[in-house]
Amino acid sequence: MIDRLEKEVDMLERHLEVLRMVIESEPIGIVKMSNETGYPHHKVRYSLRVLEEENLIEPSSQGAITTERTEEFVEELDEKVDEIIDKLESMKIETED
């Protein structure tokens, strides 16, 4: 049950790392991202596809670039992560020692 959540969190972490690289180094290509992160090309490509579907990046002839929506997403990200952390904290089952 928790394994699936862990995998989702790992994938989200990768997507956000790819997004961070696009923000910091746009335009940037798959090969450079793969070399710098150590993720295989197919995983970087998948993350780029997900980010493009969310309208956070778009392709260009030079590589991935940010969109108008990227800044708004980044501004809201920390708050959303904090809300999820709070929700997960409330799910803990405390045991007495």
Side-chain angles (χ1 to χ4, degrees), residues 64-81:
I65 58 173
T66 57
T67 66
E68 293 176 8
R69 172 145 161 54
T70 308
E71 187 176 341
E72 176 187 348
F73 174 82
V74 170
E75 288 172 0
E76 296 172 352
L77 180 64
D78 286 351
E79 185 177 327
K80 289 184 179 188
V81 168

Side-chain angles (χ1 to χ4, degrees), residues 11-96:
M11 190 168 26
L12 177 60
E13 181 181 32
R14 186 181 76 233
H15 295 338
L16 292 175
E17 186 172 350
V18 168
L19 178 61
R20 186 178 295 114
M21 291 184 76
V22 174
I23 292 168
E24 293 173 356
S25 305
E26 65 180 318
I28 185 168
I30 291 172
V31 173
K32 184 173 183 181
M33 281 191 256
S34 179
N35 290 342
E36 289 186 15
T37 62
Y39 294 129
H41 290 203
H42 71 278
K43 289 195 174 193
V44 172
R45 189 175 293 111
Y46 178 72
S47 291
L48 290 170
R49 187 177 322 120
V50 169
L51 294 168
E52 186 177 354
E53 288 171 2
E54 292 292 322
N55 201 25
L56 297 173
I57 64 162
E58 58 188 27
S60 77
S61 59
Q62 303 296 311
I65 58 173
T66 57
T67 66
E68 293 176 8
R69 172 145 161 54
T70 308
E71 187 176 341
E72 176 187 348
F73 174 82
V74 170
E75 288 172 0
E76 296 172 352
L77 180 64
D78 286 351
E79 185 177 327
K80 289 184 179 188
V81 168
D82 287 341
E83 288 172 9
I84 293 167
I85 290 170
D86 290 344
K87 184 177 272 187
L88 289 169
E89 285 285 338
S90 74
M91 295 167 68
K92 287 182 177 178
I93 299 174
E94 300 295 329
T95 59
E96 294 182 32

